[in-house]
């Protein structure tokens, strides 16, 4: 080795040694000011007791952090300080902590504060009885209950709380409650971002405002924008409406909510249920829109009414709700069913309208097929418009009116291809207490074909006639008797002599194959439907332990500096929980209350 190499090695070694000494010197806690210094080996062996004077508090410094207190115990060998009375800790220009007591290790750089602890950052304030502050990880942590106050978003309380200073993120666990002027959020797992005011909820959660209450087990809420998403067993209560769906979006500024997939909207006042796979609700406008296999159910004690269409809209105050079903609308009840382009039902008046679409006229080749139609027992009724009147209190059907081109058909009970038929301009039907058509009156230009039978149901003949009007009485769905008024002509033919070409009246269209005979039949004409995949919400990730392996290695390093007596705990670890960890969060409890979220993409 030449002289130059030796010289360089000496310089390098000296520099390295100086750097180590300098680094060690920086790690030592420094006493910047003390009014009085006392040595008390009996009570504080190996320590210096520092107290304030009338001029100022004891001032302590360590690696950019300043601390002030009324009294301090400084363990030089262990590089450890105990601070008592009106303690103030300042970390740079952003963190300010006050308390009655602080323990701090210059080796672990972990501070433990107790007694009215308040930690202030530029945007929020944490208060707790006890608080851990890790300067290296730049995190604070409490596990005995605490409160976070943020001016614009309100106050958050929880049993466990953690603050990530670099990302300005809070994580709260157990009994979490956020309160502000507009809402209260309750949850067991709650992530909150200080700058944006975004809250992420996991586990049973509720968001309560003056006009709504939202429940979910996974969700997101913008506390400043007042909008959010709810997933997993999600539901929203809007006074008398409960909305349930796989995914709910809500805007509390507008009292608006939309829902996707497996939606059920329950009206508790009017005893109705709306189902589908996409819905929009405007609370202040008292309106609900639903589509994608939309189904409206009016619950009755004995026999509920089901209405299906491509789209269903419910409007009006609870005492005057109107259901609008349009495009391929159908209605089903065990004793009554119908189809139309649009069905409108007024729950207050009991009036249900089956309406033809305006584009199709009587001259259109498709107009017959598109006419509104109703079935009751064995009777089929069609016309340009049908009105059905019900008694909302007794849940009984009172009557129906068919406007323009009324046509009634019932298959003859015995003949293979025989049909009883009546048509005219207008039809009025009355129902009995069993919701069966009891009487039908057809007025203006009435025509009829009846298969006349005796008491033994033997065919007497086929009766065809024209008259001003016809009145028919039914019994158990079959024609019992009829009367014609202002008859123009009429004949009773033996079946063998009846003209085969005149067996059907003009406009005859037997549509029994379209008749819904169950709730499932309401959907038979629908195109195949697959639920869209809801994206954008990650699974809950338990937070890492605050007292992790890296921190515990620092604690072990500090313990190595300590000479312990029997059964004595080192100063660096005496306030760390015995299991060296906060409560583990390997799974989310489903016990009620409350909430946690992450923002998904809106469909």
């Amino acid at each position: 080795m030449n002289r130059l190499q030796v010289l360089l090695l000496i310089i390098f070694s000296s520099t390295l040694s100086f750097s180590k000494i300098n680094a060690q010197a920086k790690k030592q806690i420094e006493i910047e000011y003390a009014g009085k210094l006392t040595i008390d080996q009996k009570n504080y062996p190996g320590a210096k007791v520092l107290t304030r004077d009338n001029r100022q508090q004891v001032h302590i410094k360590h690696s950019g952090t300043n601390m002030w207190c009324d009294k301090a115990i400084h363990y030089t060998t262990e590089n450890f300080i105990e601070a008592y009375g009106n303690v103030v800790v300042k970390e740079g220009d952003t963190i300010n902590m006050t308390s009655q007591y602080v323990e701090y290790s210059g080796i672990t750089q972990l501070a433990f504060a107790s007694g009215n602890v308040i930690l202030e950052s530029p945007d929020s304030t944490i208060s707790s009885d006890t608080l851990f502050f890790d300067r290296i990880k730049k995190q604070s942590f409490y596990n005995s209950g605490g409160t976070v106050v943020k001016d614009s978003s309100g106050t958050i309380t929880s049993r466990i709380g953690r603050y990530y200073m670099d990302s300005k993120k809070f994580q709260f666990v157990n009994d979490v409650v956020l309160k502000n002027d507009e809402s209260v959020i309750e949850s067991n797992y709650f992530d909150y971002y200080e700058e944006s005011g975004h809250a992420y909820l996991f586990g049973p959660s509720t968001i309560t405002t003056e006009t709504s209450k939202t429940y979910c087990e996974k969700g997101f809420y913008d506390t400043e924008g007042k909008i959010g998403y709810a997933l997993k067993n999600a539901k929203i209560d809007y006074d008398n409406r409960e909305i349930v769906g796989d995914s709910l979006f809500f805007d509390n500024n507008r009292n608006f909510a939309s829902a996707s997939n497996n939606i059920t909207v329950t009206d508790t006042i009017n005893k109705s249920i709306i189902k589908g796979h996409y819905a929009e609700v405007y609370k202040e406008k008292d309106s609900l829109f639903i589509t994608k296999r939309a189904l409206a159910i009016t619950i009755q004690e004995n026999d509920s009414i089901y209405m299906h269409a491509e789209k269903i809209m419910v409007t009006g105050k609870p005492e005057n709700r109107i259901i609008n079903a349009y495009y391929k609308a159908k209605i089903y009840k065990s004793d009554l069913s119908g189809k139309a382009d649009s069905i409108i039902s007024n729950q207050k008046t009991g009036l249900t309208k089956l309406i033809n679409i305006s584009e199709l006229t009587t001259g259109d080749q498709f107009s017959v097929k598109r006419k509104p139609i109703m079935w009751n027992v064995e009777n089929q009724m069609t016309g340009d418009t049908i009105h059905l009147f019900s008694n909302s209190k007794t849940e009984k059907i009172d009557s129906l009116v068919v406007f323009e081109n009324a046509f009634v058909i019932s298959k003859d009970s015995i003949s293979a291809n025989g049909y009883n038929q009546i048509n005219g301009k207008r039809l009025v039907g009355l129902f009995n207490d069993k919701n069966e058509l009891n009487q039908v009156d057809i007025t203006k230009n009435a025509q009829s074909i009846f298969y006349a039978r005796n008491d033994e149901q033997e065919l007497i003949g086929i009766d065809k006639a024209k008259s001003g009007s016809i009145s028919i009485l039914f019994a158990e769905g079959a024609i019992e008797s009829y009367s014609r008024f202002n008859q123009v002509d009429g004949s009773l033919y033996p079946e063998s002599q009846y003209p085969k070409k005149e067996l059907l009246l003009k406009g005859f269209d037997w549509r029994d194959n379209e008749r819904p005979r169950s709730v499932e039949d309401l959907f038979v004409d629908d195109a195949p439907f697959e639920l869209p995949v809801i994206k954008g919400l990650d699974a809950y990730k338990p937070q890492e332990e605050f007292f992790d392996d890296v921190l515990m290695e620092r604690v072990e390093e500090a313990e190595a500096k300590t000479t312990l007596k029997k059964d004595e705990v080192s100063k660096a670890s005496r306030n760390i929980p015995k299991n060296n960890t906060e409560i583990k969060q390997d799974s989310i409890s489903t016990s009620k209350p409350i909430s946690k979220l992450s923002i998904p993409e809106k469909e």
Side-chain angles (χ1 to χ4, degrees):
M1 184 179 293
N2 58 37
R3 288 187 176 183
L4 179 59
Q5 289 175 319
V6 173
L7 180 61
L8 289 174
L9 181 60
I10 293 172
I11 294 173
F12 176 77
S13 300
S14 301
T15 303
L16 184 62
S17 299
F18 177 79
S19 298
K20 288 183 177 179
I21 293 171
N22 189 48
Q24 290 174 353
K26 285 184 178 180
K27 287 185 178 180
Q28 292 298 313
I29 294 172
E30 301 175 7
I31 307 301
E32 187 75 8
Y33 180 86
K36 181 180 178 182
L37 186 150
T38 304
I39 304 296
D40 185 352
Q41 290 295 329
K42 180 180 179 181
N43 294 312
Y44 306 105
K48 300 172 184 176
V49 180
L50 310 167
T51 54
R52 67 166 297 162
D53 57 18
N54 294 331
R55 180 181 169 188
Q56 69 178 64
Q57 290 181 295
V58 178
H59 184 188
I60 303 158
K61 297 177 68 175
H62 183 255
S63 299
T65 295
N66 290 275
M67 181 189 303
W68 293 266
C69 62
D70 294 340
K71 178 182 176 180
I73 312 299
H74 184 203
Y75 297 88
T76 308
T77 303
E78 299 172 50
N79 199 16
F80 191 88
I81 197 94
E82 296 174 354
Y84 299 84
N86 302 308
V87 184
V88 177
V89 178
K90 289 186 178 293
E91 176 82 11
D93 298 327
T94 58
I95 300 298
N96 184 75
M97 183 174 72
T98 61
S99 63
Q100 292 304 309
Y101 176 72
V102 168
E103 291 182 2
Y104 177 73
S105 168
I107 299 173
T108 66
Q109 297 194 50
L110 176 68
F112 169 78
S114 64
N116 299 321
V117 184
I118 297 175
L119 187 148
E120 296 177 301
S121 68
D123 297 305
S124 59
T125 301
I126 303 173
S127 59
S128 179
D129 288 336
T130 59
L131 186 74
F132 294 91
F133 177 20
D134 187 337
R135 293 186 58 227
I136 293 178
K137 291 194 293 186
K138 293 186 179 180
Q139 296 177 17
S140 61
F141 168 72
Y142 63 79
N143 59 1
S144 58
T147 300
V148 174
V149 177
K150 189 175 186 300
D151 292 339
S152 59
S153 296
T155 301
I156 305 171
T157 59
S158 67
R159 190 168 71 81
I160 297 173
R162 189 165 175 179
Y163 179 46
Y164 299 81
M165 297 171 188
D166 285 341
S167 59
K168 296 187 177 182
K169 171 188 175 182
F170 287 93
Q171 283 189 311
F172 301 102
V173 178
N174 291 0
D175 304 325
V176 187
V177 180
L178 184 152
K179 291 184 178 180
N180 57 29
D181 293 338
E182 292 82 18
S183 61
V184 176
I185 304 176
E186 298 174 88
S187 178
N188 280 336
Y189 301 88
F190 187 103
D191 289 357
Y192 179 79
Y193 287 85
E194 188 175 44
E195 291 184 329
S196 64
H198 290 177
Y200 295 81
L201 317 169
F202 295 92
S205 309
T206 58
I207 302 171
T208 305
T209 70
E210 186 177 350
T211 58
S212 69
K213 185 174 184 178
T214 303
Y215 173 88
C216 67
E217 293 172 15
K218 187 182 284 188
F220 161 82
Y221 187 58
D222 181 345
T223 60
E224 296 183 2
K226 309 298 184 294
I227 62 172
Y229 296 84
L231 299 175
K232 195 176 180 183
N233 297 322
K235 69 177 180 179
I236 300 176
D237 287 330
Y238 276 150
D239 294 338
N240 53 71
R241 274 198 179 118
E242 180 187 83
I243 307 161
V244 176
D246 291 354
S247 174
L248 303 178
F249 167 79
F250 54 94
D251 184 343
N252 290 329
N253 302 292
R254 300 185 292 153
N255 284 326
F256 167 80
S258 65
S260 299
N261 293 7
N262 299 307
I263 302 157
T264 300
V265 181
T266 304
D267 186 330
T268 56
I269 292 181
N270 290 291
K271 297 181 180 179
S272 65
I273 297 173
I274 312 294
K275 294 185 175 183
H277 294 296
Y278 180 75
E280 294 181 355
V281 180
Y282 291 88
K283 181 180 181 299
E284 291 185 353
K285 296 179 180 179
D286 283 293
S287 71
L288 160 68
F289 167 83
I290 194 162
T291 186
K292 297 182 179 179
R293 296 182 70 83
L295 179 68
I297 308 169
T298 301
I299 300 172
Q300 296 184 349
E301 184 176 350
N302 299 318
D303 190 10
S304 297
I305 300 173
Y306 299 85
M307 193 182 302
H308 167 60
E310 290 184 2
K311 300 176 182 179
I312 292 177
M313 181 173 288
V314 183
T315 58
K317 298 291 184 182
E319 65 276 8
N320 192 25
R321 287 267 157 85
I322 297 175
I323 300 176
N324 295 268
Y326 48 99
Y327 306 138
K328 300 179 181 178
K330 300 178 184 179
I331 190 169
Y332 171 76
K333 196 171 179 285
S334 64
D335 48 25
L336 188 80
S337 57
K339 290 177 64 177
D341 293 301
S342 299
I343 299 177
I344 302 171
S345 179
N346 188 314
Q347 294 182 320
K348 179 181 180 181
T349 64
L351 172 61
T352 299
K353 301 178 181 179
L354 284 74
I355 302 171
N356 201 1
I357 60 175
S358 58
E359 303 94 271
L360 298 180
T361 64
T362 55
D364 192 288
Q365 61 177 326
F366 300 108
S367 63
V368 172
K369 291 291 184 182
R370 303 302 293 271
K371 283 181 180 293
I373 183 170
M374 292 203 76
W375 294 271
N376 175 250
V377 193
E378 301 302 324
N379 299 295
Q380 171 187 299
M381 292 156 283
T382 57
D384 290 356
T385 302
I386 300 176
H387 286 188
L388 183 67
F389 297 88
S390 302
N391 188 317
S392 57
K393 293 182 179 179
T394 63
E395 300 179 354
K396 300 292 185 182
I397 301 172
D398 290 335
S399 59
L400 66 80
V401 179
V402 180
F403 299 91
E404 303 299 329
N405 300 302
F407 208 126
V408 181
I409 306 173
S410 64
K411 197 171 187 309
D412 180 61
S413 58
I414 298 177
S415 300
N417 297 306
Y419 296 91
N420 297 302
Q421 306 158 57
I422 319 163
N423 68 12
K425 187 172 183 180
R426 178 170 173 163
L427 177 152
V428 176
L430 303 178
F431 291 82
N432 60 22
D433 291 340
K434 297 180 181 179
N435 282 346
E436 295 175 345
L437 202 59
N438 185 51
Q439 179 178 338
V440 167
D441 296 323
I442 290 188
T443 60
K444 294 185 179 180
N445 303 322
Q447 298 182 78
S448 62
I449 295 176
F450 294 124
Y451 282 70
R453 295 184 180 276
N454 60 24
D455 294 340
E456 284 72 36
Q457 293 300 303
E458 296 172 338
L459 183 63
I460 300 171
I462 301 175
D463 184 343
K464 181 177 181 181
K466 294 181 180 179
S467 59
S469 62
I470 300 175
S471 181
I472 310 162
L473 297 179
F474 292 86
E476 297 181 357
I479 296 174
E480 184 177 48
S481 63
Y482 54 88
S483 301
R484 294 190 180 97
F485 303 93
N486 300 322
Q487 182 170 326
V488 177
D489 60 40
S491 299
L492 179 63
Y493 299 90
E495 183 177 19
S496 60
Q497 297 178 17
Y498 192 90
K500 301 299 182 183
K501 294 182 179 180
E502 297 181 14
L503 285 173
L504 304 177
L505 294 175
K506 185 179 179 180
F508 176 92
D509 185 28
W510 182 243
R511 296 162 61 183
D512 190 64
N513 62 325
E514 300 178 38
R515 181 176 185 172
R517 288 179 166 82
S518 67
V519 177
E520 291 74 20
D521 284 351
L522 297 175
F523 300 93
V524 294
D525 297 327
D526 291 11
F529 177 78
E530 292 184 8
L531 291 179
V533 177
I534 297 172
K535 303 177 181 178
L537 199 61
D538 296 330
Y540 174 67
K541 295 181 180 178
Q543 59 179 253
E544 66 276 10
E545 298 174 1
F546 182 81
F547 300 100
D548 58 12
D549 293 341
V550 176
L551 174 54
M552 295 312 298
E553 286 176 5
R554 285 185 264 146
V555 172
E556 290 173 3
E557 181 185 352
E559 287 177 335
K561 301 277 186 181
T562 306
T563 302
L564 300 176
K565 296 179 181 179
K566 186 178 181 180
D567 298 328
E568 185 179 4
V569 179
S570 73
K571 299 177 181 63
S573 63
R574 60 188 175 189
N575 285 301
I576 294 176
K578 292 181 180 180
N579 62 352
N580 294 341
T581 180
E582 63 196 81
I583 294 178
K584 291 183 181 292
Q585 301 167 48
D586 296 328
S587 62
I588 298 177
S589 170
T590 56
S591 58
K592 303 212 171 162
I594 311 170
S595 69
K596 226 185 185 189
L597 281 166
S598 140
I599 188 165
E601 297 175 4
K602 187 183 176 185
E603 282 190 347

